[in-house]
mmCIF file of all heavy atoms in Angstrom:
data_model
loop_
_atom_site.group_PDB
_atom_site.id
_atom_site.type_symbol
_atom_site.label_atom_id
_atom_site.label_comp_id
_atom_site.label_asym_id
_atom_site.label_seq_id
_atom_site.Cartn_x
_atom_site.Cartn_y
_atom_site.Cartn_z
ATOM 1 N N GLY R 1 3.407 -15.333 11.737
ATOM 2 C CA GLY R 1 2.903 -16.474 10.921
ATOM 3 C C GLY R 1 1.326 -16.601 10.986
ATOM 4 O O GLY R 1 0.773 -16.820 9.887
ATOM 5 N N ALA R 2 0.891 -16.490 12.126
ATOM 6 C CA ALA R 2 -0.579 -16.550 12.341
ATOM 7 C C ALA R 2 -1.322 -15.479 11.523
ATOM 8 O O ALA R 2 -2.411 -15.669 10.870
ATOM 9 C CB ALA R 2 -1.001 -16.480 13.786
ATOM 10 N N LEU R 3 -0.722 -14.222 11.616
ATOM 11 C CA LEU R 3 -1.343 -13.184 10.878
ATOM 12 C C LEU R 3 -1.343 -13.362 9.374
ATOM 13 O O LEU R 3 -2.347 -13.087 8.787
ATOM 14 C CB LEU R 3 -0.388 -11.831 11.243
ATOM 15 C CG LEU R 3 -0.955 -10.423 10.987
ATOM 16 C CD1 LEU R 3 -2.113 -10.279 11.976
ATOM 17 C CD2 LEU R 3 0.108 -9.421 11.078
ATOM 18 N N ILE R 4 -0.187 -13.895 8.864
ATOM 19 C CA ILE R 4 -0.191 -14.176 7.462
ATOM 20 C C ILE R 4 -1.228 -15.236 7.032
ATOM 21 O O ILE R 4 -2.019 -14.990 6.096
ATOM 22 C CB ILE R 4 1.242 -14.689 7.108
ATOM 23 C CG1 ILE R 4 2.324 -13.681 7.309
ATOM 24 C CG2 ILE R 4 1.348 -15.194 5.531
ATOM 25 C CD1 ILE R 4 3.680 -14.292 7.412
ATOM 26 N N MET R 5 -1.277 -16.363 7.824
ATOM 27 C CA MET R 5 -2.198 -17.442 7.496
ATOM 28 C C MET R 5 -3.619 -17.129 7.699
ATOM 29 O O MET R 5 -4.541 -17.789 7.131
ATOM 30 C CB MET R 5 -1.755 -18.678 8.065
ATOM 31 C CG MET R 5 -0.474 -19.255 7.634
ATOM 32 S SD MET R 5 -0.089 -20.887 8.158
ATOM 33 C CE MET R 5 -0.001 -20.794 9.816
ATOM 34 N N THR R 6 -3.854 -16.233 8.488
ATOM 35 C CA THR R 6 -5.200 -15.895 8.817
ATOM 36 C C THR R 6 -5.878 -14.986 7.754
ATOM 37 O O THR R 6 -7.125 -15.124 7.364
ATOM 38 C CB THR R 6 -5.435 -15.231 10.201
ATOM 39 O OG1 THR R 6 -4.834 -15.939 11.241
ATOM 40 C CG2 THR R 6 -6.869 -14.671 10.533
ATOM 41 N N HIS R 7 -5.292 -13.938 7.321
ATOM 42 C CA HIS R 7 -5.750 -12.927 6.419
ATOM 43 C C HIS R 7 -5.318 -12.858 5.024
ATOM 44 O O HIS R 7 -6.076 -12.410 4.188
ATOM 45 C CB HIS R 7 -5.526 -11.604 7.075
ATOM 46 C CG HIS R 7 -6.034 -11.372 8.436
ATOM 47 N ND1 HIS R 7 -7.366 -11.499 8.740
ATOM 48 C CD2 HIS R 7 -5.434 -10.971 9.593
ATOM 49 C CE1 HIS R 7 -7.540 -11.230 9.954
ATOM 50 N NE2 HIS R 7 -6.386 -10.894 10.608
ATOM 51 N N SER R 8 -4.051 -13.332 4.718
ATOM 52 C CA SER R 8 -3.563 -13.074 3.435
ATOM 53 C C SER R 8 -4.285 -13.914 2.321
ATOM 54 O O SER R 8 -4.932 -14.819 2.548
ATOM 55 C CB SER R 8 -1.999 -13.384 3.428
ATOM 56 O OG SER R 8 -1.464 -12.645 4.414
ATOM 57 N N ASP R 9 -4.123 -13.489 0.999
ATOM 58 C CA ASP R 9 -4.719 -14.071 -0.058
ATOM 59 C C ASP R 9 -3.776 -14.330 -1.162
ATOM 60 O O ASP R 9 -2.483 -14.273 -1.030
ATOM 61 C CB ASP R 9 -5.825 -13.217 -0.537
ATOM 62 C CG ASP R 9 -5.469 -11.791 -0.995
ATOM 63 O OD1 ASP R 9 -4.227 -11.591 -1.348
ATOM 64 O OD2 ASP R 9 -6.309 -10.837 -1.025
ATOM 65 N N ASP R 10 -4.195 -14.727 -2.386
ATOM 66 C CA ASP R 10 -3.398 -15.164 -3.437
ATOM 67 C C ASP R 10 -2.575 -13.956 -4.125
ATOM 68 O O ASP R 10 -1.851 -14.162 -4.950
ATOM 69 C CB ASP R 10 -4.189 -15.927 -4.573
ATOM 70 C CG ASP R 10 -4.752 -17.272 -4.067
ATOM 71 O OD1 ASP R 10 -4.109 -17.718 -2.982
ATOM 72 O OD2 ASP R 10 -5.589 -17.808 -4.636
ATOM 73 N N ASN R 11 -2.981 -12.772 -3.689
ATOM 74 C CA ASN R 11 -2.233 -11.533 -4.122
ATOM 75 C C ASN R 11 -1.160 -11.148 -3.217
ATOM 76 O O ASN R 11 -0.475 -10.151 -3.497
ATOM 77 C CB ASN R 11 -3.269 -10.395 -4.320
ATOM 78 C CG ASN R 11 -4.176 -10.661 -5.423
ATOM 79 O OD1 ASN R 11 -3.802 -10.952 -6.644
ATOM 80 N ND2 ASN R 11 -5.636 -10.758 -5.079
ATOM 81 N N GLY R 12 -0.962 -11.806 -2.031
ATOM 82 C CA GLY R 12 0.068 -11.524 -1.131
ATOM 83 C C GLY R 12 -0.508 -11.207 0.197
ATOM 84 O O GLY R 12 -1.518 -11.785 0.733
ATOM 85 N N LEU R 13 0.339 -10.515 1.023
ATOM 86 C CA LEU R 13 -0.053 -10.212 2.330
ATOM 87 C C LEU R 13 -1.267 -9.366 2.575
ATOM 88 O O LEU R 13 -1.454 -8.432 1.765
ATOM 89 C CB LEU R 13 1.137 -9.584 3.062
ATOM 90 C CG LEU R 13 1.203 -9.361 4.498
ATOM 91 C CD1 LEU R 13 1.365 -10.740 5.251
ATOM 92 C CD2 LEU R 13 2.490 -8.508 4.885
ATOM 93 N N VAL R 14 -2.016 -9.600 3.573
ATOM 94 C CA VAL R 14 -3.129 -8.746 4.045
ATOM 95 C C VAL R 14 -3.020 -8.423 5.513
ATOM 96 O O VAL R 14 -2.909 -9.392 6.239
ATOM 97 C CB VAL R 14 -4.547 -9.311 3.750
ATOM 98 C CG1 VAL R 14 -5.630 -8.465 4.332
ATOM 99 C CG2 VAL R 14 -4.743 -9.629 2.247
ATOM 100 N N LEU R 15 -2.854 -7.224 5.827
ATOM 101 C CA LEU R 15 -2.568 -6.790 7.152
ATOM 102 C C LEU R 15 -3.732 -5.997 7.724
ATOM 103 O O LEU R 15 -4.295 -5.091 7.139
ATOM 104 C CB LEU R 15 -1.293 -5.861 7.246
ATOM 105 C CG LEU R 15 0.108 -6.511 7.028
ATOM 106 C CD1 LEU R 15 1.116 -5.440 6.934
ATOM 107 C CD2 LEU R 15 0.341 -7.679 7.978
ATOM 108 N N PRO R 16 -4.093 -6.351 9.053
ATOM 109 C CA PRO R 16 -5.132 -5.479 9.651
ATOM 110 C C PRO R 16 -4.500 -4.181 10.016
ATOM 111 O O PRO R 16 -3.258 -4.089 10.327
ATOM 112 C CB PRO R 16 -5.479 -6.253 10.973
ATOM 113 C CG PRO R 16 -4.280 -7.132 11.237
ATOM 114 C CD PRO R 16 -3.678 -7.465 9.841
ATOM 115 N N PRO R 17 -5.168 -3.040 9.789
ATOM 116 C CA PRO R 17 -4.717 -1.662 9.998
ATOM 117 C C PRO R 17 -4.014 -1.528 11.269
ATOM 118 O O PRO R 17 -2.939 -0.747 11.423
ATOM 119 C CB PRO R 17 -5.963 -0.756 9.821
ATOM 120 C CG PRO R 17 -6.722 -1.480 8.965
ATOM 121 C CD PRO R 17 -6.638 -2.964 9.248
ATOM 122 N N ALA R 18 -4.429 -2.206 12.302
ATOM 123 C CA ALA R 18 -3.827 -1.937 13.687
ATOM 124 C C ALA R 18 -2.396 -2.469 13.822
ATOM 125 O O ALA R 18 -1.665 -1.895 14.621
ATOM 126 C CB ALA R 18 -4.740 -2.690 14.741
ATOM 127 N N LEU R 19 -1.865 -3.376 12.875
ATOM 128 C CA LEU R 19 -0.578 -3.804 12.986
ATOM 129 C C LEU R 19 0.261 -3.529 11.614
ATOM 130 O O LEU R 19 1.389 -4.025 11.494
ATOM 131 C CB LEU R 19 -0.608 -5.416 13.231
ATOM 132 C CG LEU R 19 -1.101 -5.863 14.643
ATOM 133 C CD1 LEU R 19 -1.172 -7.254 14.684
ATOM 134 C CD2 LEU R 19 -0.357 -5.220 15.727
ATOM 135 N N ALA R 20 -0.385 -2.755 10.785
ATOM 136 C CA ALA R 20 0.311 -2.428 9.509
ATOM 137 C C ALA R 20 1.359 -1.299 9.757
ATOM 138 O O ALA R 20 0.992 -0.256 10.213
ATOM 139 C CB ALA R 20 -0.693 -2.017 8.443
ATOM 140 N N PRO R 21 2.641 -1.630 9.375
ATOM 141 C CA PRO R 21 3.666 -0.524 9.485
ATOM 142 C C PRO R 21 3.208 0.688 8.672
ATOM 143 O O PRO R 21 3.540 1.766 9.152
ATOM 144 C CB PRO R 21 4.885 -1.158 8.975
ATOM 145 C CG PRO R 21 4.736 -2.637 9.162
ATOM 146 C CD PRO R 21 3.236 -2.915 8.834
ATOM 147 N N ILE R 22 2.756 0.428 7.468
ATOM 148 C CA ILE R 22 2.161 1.584 6.724
ATOM 149 C C ILE R 22 0.771 1.335 6.514
ATOM 150 O O ILE R 22 0.214 0.367 5.901
ATOM 151 C CB ILE R 22 2.888 1.625 5.294
ATOM 152 C CG1 ILE R 22 4.380 1.696 5.400
ATOM 153 C CG2 ILE R 22 2.300 2.742 4.408
ATOM 154 C CD1 ILE R 22 5.039 1.391 4.042
ATOM 155 N N GLN R 23 -0.024 2.138 6.991
ATOM 156 C CA GLN R 23 -1.541 1.999 7.003
ATOM 157 C C GLN R 23 -2.105 2.597 5.717
ATOM 158 O O GLN R 23 -3.060 2.040 5.142
ATOM 159 C CB GLN R 23 -2.203 2.671 8.165
ATOM 160 C CG GLN R 23 -1.847 2.000 9.506
ATOM 161 C CD GLN R 23 -2.434 2.830 10.631
ATOM 162 O OE1 GLN R 23 -2.131 4.059 10.785
ATOM 163 N NE2 GLN R 23 -3.124 2.090 11.591
ATOM 164 N N VAL R 24 -1.484 3.643 5.141
ATOM 165 C CA VAL R 24 -1.988 4.293 3.999
ATOM 166 C C VAL R 24 -0.750 4.629 3.058
ATOM 167 O O VAL R 24 0.248 5.255 3.491
ATOM 168 C CB VAL R 24 -2.712 5.638 4.252
ATOM 169 C CG1 VAL R 24 -3.193 6.383 2.873
ATOM 170 C CG2 VAL R 24 -3.903 5.386 5.156
ATOM 171 N N VAL R 25 -0.832 4.258 1.748
ATOM 172 C CA VAL R 25 0.187 4.766 0.781
ATOM 173 C C VAL R 25 -0.419 5.524 -0.290
ATOM 174 O O VAL R 25 -1.536 5.260 -0.668
ATOM 175 C CB VAL R 25 0.896 3.583 0.231
ATOM 176 C CG1 VAL R 25 -0.083 2.578 -0.654
ATOM 177 C CG2 VAL R 25 2.124 4.113 -0.543
ATOM 178 N N ILE R 26 0.104 6.682 -0.583
ATOM 179 C CA ILE R 26 -0.311 7.603 -1.544
ATOM 180 C C ILE R 26 0.595 7.575 -2.683
ATOM 181 O O ILE R 26 1.770 7.844 -2.527
ATOM 182 C CB ILE R 26 -0.505 9.021 -0.979
ATOM 183 C CG1 ILE R 26 -1.337 9.034 0.259
ATOM 184 C CG2 ILE R 26 -1.056 9.980 -2.023
ATOM 185 C CD1 ILE R 26 -1.510 10.420 0.985
ATOM 186 N N ILE R 27 0.103 7.258 -3.922
ATOM 187 C CA ILE R 27 0.980 7.120 -5.049
ATOM 188 C C ILE R 27 0.535 8.176 -6.083
ATOM 189 O O ILE R 27 -0.650 8.205 -6.576
ATOM 190 C CB ILE R 27 0.795 5.775 -5.646
ATOM 191 C CG1 ILE R 27 1.312 4.736 -4.657
ATOM 192 C CG2 ILE R 27 1.616 5.623 -6.960
ATOM 193 C CD1 ILE R 27 1.020 3.308 -5.079
ATOM 194 N N PRO R 28 1.366 9.107 -6.406
ATOM 195 C CA PRO R 28 1.064 10.148 -7.468
ATOM 196 C C PRO R 28 1.192 9.607 -8.843
ATOM 197 O O PRO R 28 2.113 8.803 -9.084
ATOM 198 C CB PRO R 28 2.054 11.288 -7.178
ATOM 199 C CG PRO R 28 3.263 10.532 -6.550
ATOM 200 C CD PRO R 28 2.773 9.371 -5.867
ATOM 201 N N ILE R 29 0.240 9.953 -9.818
ATOM 202 C CA ILE R 29 0.277 9.514 -11.149
ATOM 203 C C ILE R 29 0.576 10.710 -12.044
ATOM 204 O O ILE R 29 -0.179 11.607 -12.087
ATOM 205 C CB ILE R 29 -0.977 8.872 -11.565
ATOM 206 C CG1 ILE R 29 -1.565 7.772 -10.484
ATOM 207 C CG2 ILE R 29 -0.944 8.221 -12.891
ATOM 208 C CD1 ILE R 29 -0.766 6.678 -10.292
ATOM 209 N N TYR R 30 1.775 10.799 -12.672
ATOM 210 C CA TYR R 30 2.135 11.880 -13.343
ATOM 211 C C TYR R 30 3.010 11.642 -14.538
ATOM 212 O O TYR R 30 3.618 10.602 -14.635
ATOM 213 C CB TYR R 30 2.814 12.909 -12.363
ATOM 214 C CG TYR R 30 4.156 12.410 -11.724
ATOM 215 C CD1 TYR R 30 5.277 12.621 -12.450
ATOM 216 C CD2 TYR R 30 4.057 11.471 -10.657
ATOM 217 C CE1 TYR R 30 6.523 11.807 -11.969
ATOM 218 C CE2 TYR R 30 5.246 10.923 -10.140
ATOM 219 C CZ TYR R 30 6.442 11.132 -10.767
ATOM 220 O OH TYR R 30 7.599 10.601 -10.358
ATOM 221 N N LYS R 31 3.073 12.561 -15.467
ATOM 222 C CA LYS R 31 3.894 12.446 -16.645
ATOM 223 C C LYS R 31 5.098 13.520 -16.643
ATOM 224 O O LYS R 31 6.031 13.427 -17.409
ATOM 225 C CB LYS R 31 3.153 12.589 -17.935
ATOM 226 C CG LYS R 31 2.192 11.346 -18.034
ATOM 227 C CD LYS R 31 1.406 11.456 -19.394
ATOM 228 C CE LYS R 31 0.536 10.318 -19.618
ATOM 229 N NZ LYS R 31 -0.338 10.416 -20.830
ATOM 230 N N SER R 32 4.827 14.546 -15.844
ATOM 231 C CA SER R 32 5.823 15.711 -15.779
ATOM 232 C C SER R 32 6.114 16.124 -14.377
ATOM 233 O O SER R 32 5.294 15.852 -13.523
ATOM 234 C CB SER R 32 5.282 16.871 -16.725
ATOM 235 O OG SER R 32 4.212 17.504 -15.967
ATOM 236 N N GLU R 33 7.162 16.756 -14.261
ATOM 237 C CA GLU R 33 7.608 17.290 -12.935
ATOM 238 C C GLU R 33 6.544 18.365 -12.501
ATOM 239 O O GLU R 33 6.261 18.444 -11.236
ATOM 240 C CB GLU R 33 8.921 18.064 -13.044
ATOM 241 C CG GLU R 33 9.498 18.273 -11.644
ATOM 242 C CD GLU R 33 11.005 18.732 -11.723
ATOM 243 O OE1 GLU R 33 11.717 18.430 -12.691
ATOM 244 O OE2 GLU R 33 11.455 19.321 -10.699
ATOM 245 N N GLU R 34 6.001 19.101 -13.413
ATOM 246 C CA GLU R 34 4.992 20.113 -12.959
ATOM 247 C C GLU R 34 3.796 19.353 -12.421
ATOM 248 O O GLU R 34 3.226 19.807 -11.443
ATOM 249 C CB GLU R 34 4.606 20.885 -14.391
ATOM 250 C CG GLU R 34 3.551 22.035 -14.032
ATOM 251 C CD GLU R 34 3.110 22.762 -15.191
ATOM 252 O OE1 GLU R 34 3.577 22.448 -16.313
ATOM 253 O OE2 GLU R 34 2.212 23.560 -15.045
ATOM 254 N N GLN R 35 3.282 18.292 -13.136
ATOM 255 C CA GLN R 35 2.168 17.524 -12.621
ATOM 256 C C GLN R 35 2.474 17.043 -11.114
ATOM 257 O O GLN R 35 1.568 17.005 -10.271
ATOM 258 C CB GLN R 35 1.853 16.524 -13.592
ATOM 259 C CG GLN R 35 1.181 16.972 -14.870
ATOM 260 C CD GLN R 35 0.853 15.757 -15.761
ATOM 261 O OE1 GLN R 35 1.344 14.577 -15.518
ATOM 262 N NE2 GLN R 35 -0.129 15.985 -16.654
ATOM 263 N N LEU R 36 3.714 16.507 -11.060
ATOM 264 C CA LEU R 36 4.064 15.993 -9.694
ATOM 265 C C LEU R 36 4.001 17.023 -8.605
ATOM 266 O O LEU R 36 3.514 16.798 -7.453
ATOM 267 C CB LEU R 36 5.532 15.323 -9.797
ATOM 268 C CG LEU R 36 6.109 14.828 -8.396
ATOM 269 C CD1 LEU R 36 5.242 13.766 -7.762
ATOM 270 C CD2 LEU R 36 7.458 14.207 -8.624
ATOM 271 N N ASN R 37 4.554 18.198 -8.935
ATOM 272 C CA ASN R 37 4.571 19.226 -8.018
ATOM 273 C C ASN R 37 3.133 19.662 -7.581
ATOM 274 O O ASN R 37 2.846 20.020 -6.363
ATOM 275 C CB ASN R 37 5.171 20.467 -8.622
ATOM 276 C CG ASN R 37 6.878 20.280 -8.721
ATOM 277 O OD1 ASN R 37 7.421 19.298 -7.998
ATOM 278 N ND2 ASN R 37 7.478 20.934 -9.621
#
């Protein structure tokens, strides 16, 4: 609760990297399977 109220903003949760379950997310932008590959 302290973590939420200390850092988060109007867009949602903000986590310090030291306690983030996922520190980096990589999202591919593609239109075809070939591009994804």
Side-chain angles (χ1 to χ4, degrees):
L3 200 67
I4 295 164
M5 292 196 294
T6 298
H7 300 301
S8 300
D9 60 23
D10 293 344
N11 295 300
L13 191 62
V14 174
L15 292 175
L19 295 178
I22 304 166
Q23 293 170 311
V24 177
V25 62
I26 303 174
I27 300 172
I29 312 297
Y30 61 92
K31 292 182 178 178
S32 67
E33 189 171 340
E34 181 184 358
Q35 289 179 339
L36 174 60
N37 291 337

